[in-house]
Amino acid sequence: MEALGDRLKRMVKVFRRECHRVLPSERTTIHGADGMLMLLQLAMAEVGKQHAGEFKVAPSDVLVAWKHFLLDKLHLQPPNSVRLDNYDLILEAYESSLKRSNTVDLVDVLFMYNQLRLGHSDPGEPVSPFQLFEFLLGDTDVSELPDPSTPSRKSRACSSQVKPAVRRLFRSYLTLLVNARNDVAAALTLDVPGRGLGREAFTHLKHAARHGDTSLFLAATSFVRAIQLGGKGYAPAGADPLRRHVKGLSDFVQFLDGLQDVLGEVPDPSACGARLVTAIRAALVKGRGGEDVVHAAAEETTKELKERICLLHGLQTRGADGSASGISPARPKAYAVNHCTAYGGRDTVKVLMALLDEEALAPPCLNQADLLSEDQPVLGGGEGTCCLLALFRSPEVSAGRSPEPLRKPVQSRLDLLKPKAKERGIRSQFACTYKDEEMPLSRVLEFPSGSQVPTCIHPAPKHQTPPAPEEEGRSDGEETTRAKSAALCPRSGNVGHVDSAAPRGRRRGNKRKQADSDRRGGSENEPPGKKATGANAVKAPRRKKLIAGQGKLTSFFRL
């Protein structure tokens, strides 16, 4: 009896050979058990965000829905079984992700295989839906298939979580060379190794991809190409949020462009595959020591993938016309320069697709809770992580204060509106005739420090005792004598004071100040009296304000 692993391999080979009859693209990739579980987690989180407003789902809920999902999709569900809440929306989101990424899962491969093998002579026994159900749940031991989580015989032991994560990264980079629309592969490789593209950059790229109805990798590629080659009319707008991540996106696209160049220039699939895997390993271990766990896992994965590529190339070479591999050749590149460049990567693409099909048939992860948990090993520096749920979740905005993305444009706008200080040029010897635009603060405030600032600008008037009757009469006589002297001597330089006992300083006082004091009928140092209130208050007539010198002219012409 044929083993389950051999039947699964034959199923995938027949699907790959005949997929052009049912699929629009021959480079459609396959999601294995782990990929299907991660896509289901994303679909449940998306539905939870639509109903609860939070992009989050518990791993226990995903594992419960995983079994229900497989039974329903394989048509093994009992007729009276209870359906999960929002299951139709979850299934719709899952299928939409597959279609948008140009991928299929193993359940779709099984049904397409049963449809395609009717016109093809396949003597083998097909895989039953129940056998595939047990395989996807991990209840069946398949020894014929390669287990990527099995450690090698090296003395250097790798972590149980780091080794599958590193192998997943190698597989994702190779997937982007074959299928550029695979969003899961682009999400896993965007910031690994670290390029400064964290959750914020991934969120902006995801929004740009949805706005342009394209994939993540193609959105990043089109943005970088527009920056590099576009002119004024075709370059992205200055307010585009992706402009903040130009360097990281350029490094990501440039690295994959280098892999594409190797794929098109090296004609030998074994040598080309070895160079591709070596380039990915060099990028992952850059800056890491030999004792690092990621470095050890990358070395082991590189050796295993090189061996598998050489083995698959040998199997395809022994076939008469390529029918032994069951893979349709890829179309030549449209921008090929010559015949060698056009057909150099076709055999390598066939080998890579066969390698990715084998990786999709790998047994599921033994600890699925670690695969769904957000506590994944950090492989890309400061922010890189292998958890898809943490990547696809938008960054949290703290409540109660202004968010950082909003505060930055507001501050930049205020800086633009702030008046700029004009540079003062070299002034000539007649600089004293120039008008200063703004008086410096040191000239406006004559006190140097805050400790010398006066506490009261208008001090309160001092309390004075009322004069005696004799003194009041004497002061009235002095005022009458002073008024007569002013009338008799209007042309003199100083206002006349007949009282010879007055101090010398007062005689030399200001003319205008003394004249105003005489008109008011009081001393110039005497504080103003309080306004009378009540019924006896007489409203004083309002006098017009005189200009400088008008009082003297008026008194002169009155004479």
Side-chain angles (χ1 to χ4, degrees), residues 287-310:
R288 302 181 184 270
E291 300 299 327
D292 191 80
V293 183
V294 178
H295 189 283
E299 292 287 347
E300 294 184 13
T301 306
T302 301
K303 184 177 180 181
E304 293 172 3
L305 291 179
K306 285 182 179 180
E307 294 176 356
R308 292 301 305 167
I309 289 174
C310 291

Side-chain angles (χ1 to χ4, degrees), residues 471-552:
E471 296 179 358
E472 186 176 359
R474 189 186 310 164
S475 61
D476 294 342
E478 291 177 358
E479 291 178 2
T480 307
T481 307
R482 191 182 302 116
K484 291 180 179 180
S485 302
L488 293 173
C489 307
R491 300 183 183 180
S492 59
N494 296 327
V495 178
H497 293 276
V498 201
D499 192 1
S500 60
R504 185 178 182 183
R506 182 176 298 178
R507 288 198 302 266
R508 297 181 179 180
N510 191 2
K511 307 174 187 178
R512 182 178 175 186
K513 194 172 184 181
Q514 290 177 1
D516 294 342
S517 175
D518 294 342
R519 282 195 303 270
R520 286 196 300 265
S523 177
E524 60 181 3
N525 294 328
E526 185 178 351
K530 296 183 179 180
K531 294 182 180 180
T533 57
N536 299 328
V538 179
K539 189 174 182 181
R542 187 175 181 180
R543 298 181 178 180
K544 295 183 179 180
K545 189 175 180 181
L546 304 179
I547 62 176
Q550 185 177 357
K552 292 183 179 181

Side-chain angles (χ1 to χ4, degrees), residues 207-476:
H207 293 165
R210 290 184 178 178
H211 180 71
D213 194 17
T214 182
S215 64
L216 295 175
F217 175 68
L218 294 180
T221 304
S222 61
F223 173 77
V224 173
R225 296 290 186 267
I227 289 290
Q228 295 174 349
L229 307 176
K232 274 189 174 182
Y234 298 95
D240 195 336
L242 289 179
R243 278 190 172 272
R244 287 180 274 177
H245 317 286
V246 172
K247 185 179 183 303
L249 293 174
S250 300
D251 294 343
F252 176 62
V253 174
Q254 185 178 1
F255 179 73
L256 283 168
D257 286 344
L259 297 182
Q260 289 282 1
D261 293 340
V262 173
L263 182 63
E265 292 174 0
V266 181
D268 186 18
S270 298
C272 182
R275 285 185 58 179
L276 292 174
V277 174
T278 303
I280 298 173
R281 181 201 64 83
L284 291 179
V285 303
K286 184 178 181 180
R288 302 181 184 270
E291 300 299 327
D292 191 80
V293 183
V294 178
H295 189 283
E299 292 287 347
E300 294 184 13
T301 306
T302 301
K303 184 177 180 181
E304 293 172 3
L305 291 179
K306 285 182 179 180
E307 294 176 356
R308 292 301 305 167
I309 289 174
C310 291
L311 181 60
L312 291 173
H313 179 223
L315 293 176
Q316 291 185 5
T317 305
R318 284 193 293 268
D321 53 353
S323 60
S325 62
I327 301 175
S328 176
R331 298 292 184 267
K333 293 184 178 181
Y335 55 87
V337 179
N338 51 33
H339 185 275
C340 180
T341 307
Y343 290 93
R346 299 185 67 186
D347 294 335
T348 307
V349 169
K350 291 192 295 183
V351 174
L352 291 180
M353 294 184 72
L355 176 65
L356 295 175
D357 291 343
E358 282 193 359
E359 292 291 323
L361 293 176
C365 182
L366 297 178
N367 193 351
Q368 295 179 336
D370 292 341
L371 182 66
L372 301 176
S373 175
E374 297 188 22
D375 300 330
Q376 294 285 342
V378 177
L379 304 178
E383 300 182 5
T385 178
C386 292
C387 180
L388 287 180
L389 186 63
L391 284 174
F392 277 84
R393 183 188 301 132
S394 299
E396 299 282 342
V397 177
S398 59
R401 58 181 180 177
S402 178
E404 191 69 22
L406 180 61
R407 201 161 46 239
K408 287 181 179 179
V410 170
Q411 186 62 33
S412 62
R413 184 61 181 171
L414 290 177
D415 294 341
L416 290 176
L417 295 177
K418 191 178 298 183
K420 298 181 179 179
K422 296 183 179 179
E423 298 183 358
R424 298 179 179 271
I426 301 177
R427 296 190 173 184
S428 65
Q429 56 182 349
F430 305 103
C432 59
T433 59
Y434 297 158
K435 183 179 179 181
D436 294 336
E437 297 176 359
E438 294 182 0
M439 184 176 295
L441 186 63
S442 60
R443 296 179 62 183
V444 177
L445 304 178
E446 297 181 356
F447 38 86
S449 62
S451 61
Q452 302 180 11
V453 179
T455 56
C456 182
I457 301 178
H458 302 286
K462 295 181 180 180
H463 179 71
Q464 295 182 359
T465 58
E470 299 86 8
E471 296 179 358
E472 186 176 359
R474 189 186 310 164
S475 61
D476 294 342

Side-chain angles (χ1 to χ4, degrees), residues 10-19 113 116 122:
R10 190 180 70 253
M11 176 186 71
V12 172
K13 286 183 179 180
V14 173
F15 163 77
R16 185 60 65 189
R17 183 173 60 242
E18 304 293 335
C19 68
Y113 166 74
L116 296 173
D122 189 4

